Each structure stands twice: as C-alpha cells, then as structure tokens.
Amino acid sequence: MSSPTQSRAFSATRRRIDTKTLVSGAMLTGIAYIVMMASKLMPSVMFLDFDFKDVIICIGGFTFGPTMAAVISVLVAFLELIFISTTGPIGFVMNALATCSFCCTASFLYKKLHTKRGAVAGLACGVVCLVAVMLLWNYLITPLYMTQWSRQDVAALLPTLFLPFNLAKGGMNMAATLLIYPPVVAALRKAGVVPPSQSVQGKKFSVGFLLFALALLATFVLFALVLAGVI
C-alpha cells in the first residue's frame, strides 16, 4: 500500500497535469478560433469555405488524445455559431461533424500507432472519413437551408462539388498538420506541458518526411485553387 505522503504527492502531480491540460486545451481552442476566422479570407468554392482550424485541433488531439480533439471541435463550432455563423444550428452541426470526423479519427489512430507512419496513416484515414461523412450529411442537410436546391440537385453535386472540396480541404489540413505538429509538440515538451517522447523514431529529423509533407501540401493547395477558380 502507498503511504499517505505518496498519495498526496500523486494527487498533487495529477492536479498539475490536469491544470496544464485544461490550460493547453483552452489555448488551442482560442488559436483554432483565430485560425478559423483567418481562413475566411481564403477563396471559397460556392458557399463552402476552406478552413485550417482542423490543423490546430489535430495538434491538440495528437498531443492529448481524441477526446481533446472532440471537445475543441465542439467548442470552436459553438463559438462560430455564437459570433459569426449565418447558418445557425445546422451550420454548428455540420462544422462539428466535419472537424470531429477528421481530427478524432486521425488522433485515435495516431494514439494506437505513435510513429510518423501512424501520423500519416491516421491523417489519411481522417481525410477518407471526412469525405464520407460530409457526403452523407451534405446530402441530408443541405436542402434544409439551401431551400432553392432540391435533394436531386444536391445529389448531382456530391461527386462534382462536395467530394473534391472535402478532399482538397482534408488533404491541405493533413499536410499542414504533418509540417506543424513536430515543432509545436517539441515546444510543448520543452515547456513541460507534455512528457518527453519515448519514441526514438519521433526524435529523428527526416528531410524525406519534410519534403513529402511539403509536396502533399503544394498538391492540395493547387487543387483547392483550381476548385476555387483562382487558377
């Protein structure tokens, strides 16, 4: 049995960890909201906006687990509903579903396979899940607030608009997360917010991995610009 002194020390340590996690979650929520606002300046595709807040939320999920990703996703969607949304509760649901499907899937798989390959596989599965979920929910919900469109109109747009848009959005967020997560988590470890990595692989800098992420980002950015009619 542990002594009372050991129990008190364990409780104090756990409270410090919980406090750091809460503060980090609040900080990431604020940053994600700011990134979402800044993303509004990007070219859109019809009524669909590219949004990079998922990058910040994925960093939270990779660092603290998929539950944190889900909480931040809902909080940011709620803040958007309160302050800037023009689509009301329907937009809130769609935003939360889109972000959770991508970030929670990626975070869950990365937690199971905590390597660079696990990050790539988790994010790729997140993109697939995002596309599948949003195809279904756009078909079901879009006619409810875009009343000038029938369900048949929306069905015709699934392969030509919703699929390529969500693929481009998910691909850009995947590539950006691969680029940004390593330096961010290194800074968090240095600050003592998260424990040091136990993975030797995670400590090695890989030029090949960096070039892969950059090429992936460039590809999906060009794809998004084509969809938006910029090029």
Side-chain angles (χ1 to χ4, degrees):
M1 295 179 63
S2 61
S3 66
T5 302
Q6 290 174 323
S7 298
R8 285 195 296 271
F10 175 77
S11 298
T13 301
R14 183 168 183 176
R15 282 196 298 271
R16 285 196 296 271
I17 293 172
D18 289 344
T19 300
K20 286 181 178 179
T21 302
L22 288 173
V23 170
S24 299
M27 177 186 68
L28 289 168
T29 300
I31 296 172
Y33 181 78
I34 293 170
V35 170
M36 179 272 297
M37 293 286 290
S39 298
K40 300 294 184 183
L41 302 175
M42 294 181 60
S44 60
V45 180
M46 295 181 66
F47 59 91
L48 302 172
D49 294 323
F50 291 106
D51 193 346
F52 279 99
K53 72 175 182 290
D54 291 4
V55 177
I56 308 302
I57 297 173
C58 267
I59 290 173
F62 277 17
T63 306
F64 300 105
T67 301
M68 177 66 83
V71 170
I72 299 175
S73 299
V74 173
L75 285 175
V76 175
F78 181 74
L79 290 173
E80 185 174 355
L81 168 67
I82 295 299
F83 293 111
I84 64 171
S85 177
T86 58
T87 54
I90 292 177
F92 166 76
V93 171
M94 296 293 279
N95 283 333
L97 282 171
T99 306
C100 285
S101 61
F102 176 70
C103 298
C104 294
T105 301
S107 302
F108 177 79
L109 293 176
Y110 181 63
K111 185 178 181 181
K112 297 296 183 182
L113 185 60
H114 204 70
T115 63
K116 289 177 182 176
R117 288 186 179 181
V120 173
L123 288 164
C125 289
V127 174
V128 173
C129 188
L130 167 69
V131 171
V133 167
M134 296 316 294
L135 284 178
L136 173 62
W137 284 93
N138 274 300
Y139 175 73
L140 294 175
I141 291 182
T142 300
L144 300 181
Y145 66 94
M146 300 290 288
T147 53
Q148 70 273 27
W149 290 0
S150 68
R151 197 167 298 281
Q152 289 73 23
D153 295 330
V154 174
L157 290 172
L158 292 179
T160 59
L161 174 63
F162 294 110
L163 189 152
F165 170 81
N166 285 294
L167 180 61
K169 175 185 172 182
M172 287 192 295
N173 283 315
M174 173 184 176
T177 302
L178 292 175
L179 285 171
I180 295 174
Y181 175 69
V184 169
V185 77
L188 291 174
R189 288 189 179 118
K190 187 175 180 180
V193 176
V194 295
S197 175
Q198 301 300 315
S199 171
V200 175
Q201 180 182 356
K203 298 178 182 178
K204 294 181 179 178
F205 175 78
S206 171
V207 175
F209 185 80
L210 176 63
L211 292 175
F212 165 74
L214 286 171
L216 193 67
L217 180 60
T219 299
F220 282 105
V221 167
L222 287 172
F223 184 31
L225 291 174
V226 170
L227 287 177
V230 176
I231 59 176

